[in-house]
Amino acid sequence: MTPVQPSERTVVAILNWNGLRHLQAYLPSVVEHSGVDADVVVIDNGSTDDSMAWCSKNYPEIQQVLLKENLGFAGGYNAGLQQIEAKTYVLLNSDVRTTPNYIPPVLQMMATEGYAACQPMICNDADPELFEYAGAAGGYIDRHGFTFCAGRIFEVFESNFGQYDSNREVFWASGAALFMDAKAFHLVGGLDADFFAHMEEIDLCWRLKNRGYRVGVCGGSIVYHLGGGTLQKSS
């Protein structure tokens, strides 16, 4: 098999901060299901627990990018991704359980339909029949600037019975499982670190759209998010 060049590769980048419990629970599925489709990298936000030692022992093949301090979700990803060469980034929360073949449908959609950012369907890891808070089936914004998702209204979550199983353009894609064209990410300046955490992916998608890029959701890919595992939504 011809080796994948750095400029062509897809990298699943997991941001970690004292997340040993989540890495133990969810990293095995990411490694298993990313397979030959992507490399897995853990960006560590200055953790003080044993999470990176555990990664080194159990997954020595996984590249680690070690930051000296906790820069938050936005700042951590910005600093970490500066050190990772790839064509496509997958920003994946450490409390996301992946599924077989979750990567190829999204990459195909991005390549053939012209999307710079895209998310899979995101359902609830604790109750897999329900969509999940952080992005659900794709994000929208109303004319008053209020953001919402297909698949949930406020705290009410829809059951997933295939009603959103089509590729669609949306206003924003969830940062819990965000596929990003690397060139577009860096062109618009990455995530705005002023947000630290929460709403930063909406701001990013808005800036992408202002540059003429498309943002979408792929109905043929699904992941399961614990929700509130890395940061409580009430924060």
Side-chain angles (χ1 to χ4, degrees), residues 11-17 19 22-23 26-31 34 39-45 52 54-55 62-65 67 73 76-77 80-81 84 89-98 102 175-176 230:
V11 170
V12 177
I14 298 172
L15 188 67
N16 173 69
W17 181 68
H22 295 314
L23 291 175
Y26 294 97
L27 186 57
S29 77
V30 179
V31 172
S34 298
D39 296 328
V40 179
V41 177
V42 175
I43 302 170
D44 186 69
N45 242 341
M52 301 317 296
W54 179 86
C55 281
I62 291 181
Q63 178 186 347
Q64 298 179 16
V65 176
L67 306 178
F73 184 90
Y77 264 123
L81 294 178
I84 300 171
Y89 299 134
V90 184
L91 283 61
L92 192 71
N93 278 15
S94 61
D95 57 350
V96 167
R97 191 181 311 280
T98 59
Y102 79 104
T230 53

Side-chain angles (χ1 to χ4, degrees), residues 26 93 95-96 123-125 132-134 224-233:
Y26 294 97
N93 278 15
D95 57 350
V96 167
C123 285
N124 192 325
D125 190 52
E132 206 275 323
Y133 186 91
Y224 296 91
H225 185 215
L226 177 62
T230 53
L231 185 65
Q232 295 294 323
K233 66 177 182 287

Side-chain angles (χ1 to χ4, degrees), residues 72-75 91 93 133-135 139-142 144-149 152 171-176 178 190-208 231-235:
F73 184 90
L91 283 61
N93 278 15
Y133 186 91
Y140 299 88
I141 190 169
D142 68 17
H144 302 293
F146 183 81
T147 55
F148 59 99
C149 304
R152 75 164 171 88
F171 187 83
W172 59 274
S174 172
L178 179 61
L191 297 161
D192 187 339
D194 285 346
F195 285 93
F196 193 79
H198 283 326
M199 309 296 282
E200 70 291 320
E201 76 269 54
I202 300 173
D203 171 78
L204 172 63
C205 291
W206 199 330
R207 285 185 281 119
L208 287 168
L231 185 65
Q232 295 294 323
K233 66 177 182 287
S234 60
S235 171

Side-chain angles (χ1 to χ4, degrees), residues 209-221:
K209 283 185 168 289
N210 287 343
R211 293 292 190 99
Y213 290 106
R214 301 179 73 198
V215 178
V217 58
C218 179
S221 174

Side-chain angles (χ1 to χ4, degrees), residues 114-169:
Y115 286 93
C118 193
Q119 70 162 79
M121 311 280 273
I122 303 176
C123 285
N124 192 325
D125 190 52
D127 191 345
E129 293 185 358
L130 298 179
F131 284 104
E132 206 275 323
Y133 186 91
Y140 299 88
I141 190 169
D142 68 17
R143 64 182 184 178
H144 302 293
F146 183 81
T147 55
F148 59 99
C149 304
R152 75 164 171 88
I153 298 294
F154 299 109
E155 300 293 330
V156 178
F157 306 96
E158 292 183 37
S159 295
N160 178 17
F161 51 85
Q163 69 271 42
Y164 299 115
D165 283 1
S166 60
N167 295 347
R168 290 169 289 112
E169 184 166 4

